[in-house]
């Protein structure tokens, strides 16, 4: 049987969650690097700070986790502090839409990848990303 965490323990757990260079990011970036594509990670000068970007070919990649980005299939709200979490996740979803619209309106190739898709079929996702990058390179 699992024990309940105190609010202090919960704070430490939540504050240790990384926002960049996560295992999902690492798995995608290592795979596309091995395929010969060169990129930058978490570029602050780009709107929304994409997880992976190639400015030269106007390509941005966002890797969205099911919890933080409110996946319709897998998101389960926490049982405590529901109001805070629902507002937090809703704002994340809204921000994702704003960022996506920005890149689409400015003729960038936008790739959004869900955590569950990476876990289900990693190789297919890598191939889709590489195909998108390659087609963006041809347009330049």
């Amino acid at each position: 049987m699992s024990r309940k965490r105190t609010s202090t323990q919960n704070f430490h757990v939540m504050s240790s969650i990384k926002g960049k260079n996560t295992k999902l990011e690492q798995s995608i970036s290592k795979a596309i690097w091995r395929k010969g594509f060169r990129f930058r990670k978490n570029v602050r000068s780009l709107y929304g700070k994409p997880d992976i970007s190639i400015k030269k070919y106007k390509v941005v990649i966002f890797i969205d986790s099911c919890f933080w980005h409110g996946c319709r299939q897998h998101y389960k709200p926490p049982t405590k502090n529901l109001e805070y979490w629902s507002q937090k996740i809703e704002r994340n979803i809204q921000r994702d839409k704003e960022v996506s619209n920005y890149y689409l309106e400015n003729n960038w190739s936008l790739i959004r990848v869900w955590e569950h898709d990476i876990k289900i079929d990693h190789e297919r996702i890598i191939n889709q990303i590489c195909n998108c990058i390659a087609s963006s390179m041809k347009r330049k």
Side-chain angles (χ1 to χ4, degrees), residues 82-128:
L82 188 58
E83 184 178 337
Y84 167 81
W85 284 108
S86 61
Q87 289 176 359
K88 171 83 174 147
I89 301 303
E90 262 316 302
R91 179 61 189 127
N92 289 352
I93 293 169
Q94 184 60 38
R95 187 180 312 109
D96 290 344
K97 289 177 186 174
E98 292 167 8
V99 169
S100 294
N101 288 338
Y102 172 84
Y103 284 108
L104 294 173
E105 289 170 1
N106 289 289
N107 298 317
W108 282 66
S109 294
L110 168 75
I111 304 167
R112 281 202 173 270
V113 182
W114 281 104
E115 169 187 15
H116 62 264
D117 289 333
I118 296 168
K119 290 178 177 177
I120 291 171
D121 197 348
H122 187 269
E123 198 57 39
R124 181 182 59 83
I125 296 299
I126 296 304
N127 288 334
Q128 286 177 343

Side-chain angles (χ1 to χ4, degrees), residues 21-38:
N21 208 25
T22 63
K23 287 182 182 179
L24 292 173
E25 268 185 52
Q26 288 176 3
S27 72
I28 297 295
S29 61
K30 286 179 181 179
I32 62 176
W33 188 272
R34 281 192 299 265
K35 299 264 186 181
F37 297 104
R38 300 300 176 246

Side-chain angles (χ1 to χ4, degrees), residues 41-52:
K41 292 168 60 174
N42 305 302
V43 176
R44 288 183 176 177
S45 63
L46 290 175
Y47 185 64
K49 202 166 75 169
D51 297 311
I52 298 170

